[in-house]
Amino acid sequence: MYWLSTLAALIVSSLVGIDAFAVNQQSTRTASCLSMAQDAVDTKIATLTDATNWRLRLLLNGVTTTQGRKIDGQLFVLNGNFIEEEGYEPPQGLFTSLTSSNKSEDGSDEVLSLEISSSRWKLSEDPDDPKDGLWIWGLFKEPLYPFMLLQMETKELELSSAEGEEKDSIPALKLYAQINHIRDQETGNVDLKTADVNIRLLEQIQLPGATVDLYENEKVGQVSFQAL
């Protein structure tokens, strides 16, 4: 009978150990889920709405001033929002500038303040190989827009000059950029990649009975993006 009592005690002990292990595993899973949920709450999602402030770093190279001087390596820092206008497909809207910094982040280099007079953006397929509308036929689960087409118009910016020197300025510019746009389908987080900035040069060709306007892009710098 003693061995029966011992066997029963061993069985009960094993069952208690299994229950304890299961409870411990469940607690671990619960803690892990809570941690992941907290991480999701703490993670800030970047969007093309007024909920996200963006910092644009615009570096201009080779821009000609009104006095014919070349501007190289001039940095402008802009903070603002991408505001989507409702009712458009593909998504598009305005970039609204909030502030324009006149100092670099570490305060070591001077950064001129640049004022944006107007700016528009539009999500797009490859503009050189348009596929807009294919999603309507069920080829994609949702519209795929790997690019953002950004246009910014700036106001004339007067440059500092020494006493007796003729005043000089950066003329009003119309800037264009084609930016790689990545949107996470699960989280909705938006990532905008560094892109070349161009101006468009107009060339008019005279044909018999008509004039044709041709535009050529000329690179004048780069723009990078940071969600704040």
Side-chain angles (χ1 to χ4, degrees):
M1 295 298 292
Y2 174 77
W3 67 271
L4 289 176
S5 299
T6 302
L7 179 59
L10 289 174
I11 292 173
V12 171
S13 178
S14 298
L15 291 175
V16 170
I18 292 172
D19 289 342
F21 176 77
V23 169
N24 183 61
Q25 287 291 91
Q26 181 63 35
S27 299
T28 301
R29 285 195 296 270
T30 301
S32 177
C33 290
L34 290 174
S35 177
M36 292 174 62
Q38 186 62 43
D39 289 343
V41 171
D42 294 339
T43 301
K44 196 170 184 179
I45 302 300
T47 64
L48 299 178
T49 69
D50 57 4
T52 301
N53 291 335
W54 290 84
R55 175 165 295 156
L56 278 61
R57 293 179 177 87
L58 178 62
L59 182 65
L60 294 183
N61 289 297
V63 174
T64 304
T65 69
T66 53
Q67 295 299 326
R69 183 165 60 93
K70 287 289 186 181
I71 297 292
D72 287 318
Q74 181 61 60
L75 176 65
F76 301 93
V77 179
L78 304 170
N79 292 337
N81 304 116
F82 291 97
I83 308 298
E84 182 178 350
E85 296 177 324
E86 296 183 1
Y88 289 94
E89 188 63 49
Q92 56 191 277
L94 308 173
F95 175 78
T96 303
S97 180
L98 300 177
T99 60
S100 179
S101 173
N102 60 2
K103 290 289 184 181
S104 61
E105 291 182 4
D106 59 6
S108 59
D109 298 318
E110 184 178 358
V111 181
L112 292 179
S113 178
L114 185 68
E115 188 173 353
I116 303 295
S117 58
S118 67
S119 181
R120 291 197 62 83
W121 60 271
K122 178 181 178 181
L123 299 188
S124 174
E125 294 287 344
D126 187 343
D128 297 324
D129 183 20
K131 300 183 182 65
D132 291 344
L134 291 181
W135 60 275
I136 296 177
W137 305 103
L139 299 182
F140 304 114
K141 292 182 179 179
E142 62 176 282
L144 298 180
Y145 298 120
F147 296 103
M148 170 190 279
L149 306 181
L150 177 64
Q151 174 183 315
M152 294 188 295
E153 297 184 27
T154 68
K155 294 186 177 181
E156 183 177 3
L157 174 63
E158 185 174 335
L159 301 173
S160 59
S161 58
E163 186 176 352
E165 289 185 350
E166 193 171 2
K167 289 185 178 181
D168 201 359
S169 63
I170 297 176
L173 300 172
K174 184 176 285 189
L175 305 172
Y176 301 88
Q178 178 177 313
I179 304 144
N180 285 339
H181 160 264
I182 302 172
R183 181 181 181 275
D184 189 291
Q185 293 188 5
E186 294 184 1
T187 66
N189 186 69
V190 171
D191 186 18
L192 300 176
K193 301 297 185 182
T194 298
D196 292 339
V197 173
N198 303 287
I199 58 174
R200 288 179 179 171
L201 303 178
L202 171 63
E203 180 181 1
Q204 290 188 330
I205 299 178
Q206 189 67 46
L207 300 176
T211 300
V212 178
D213 294 339
L214 297 179
Y215 292 91
E216 181 180 355
N217 287 336
E218 178 180 300
K219 180 181 174 181
V220 293
Q222 283 190 324
V223 61
S224 61
F225 305 84
Q226 177 189 3
L228 302 178

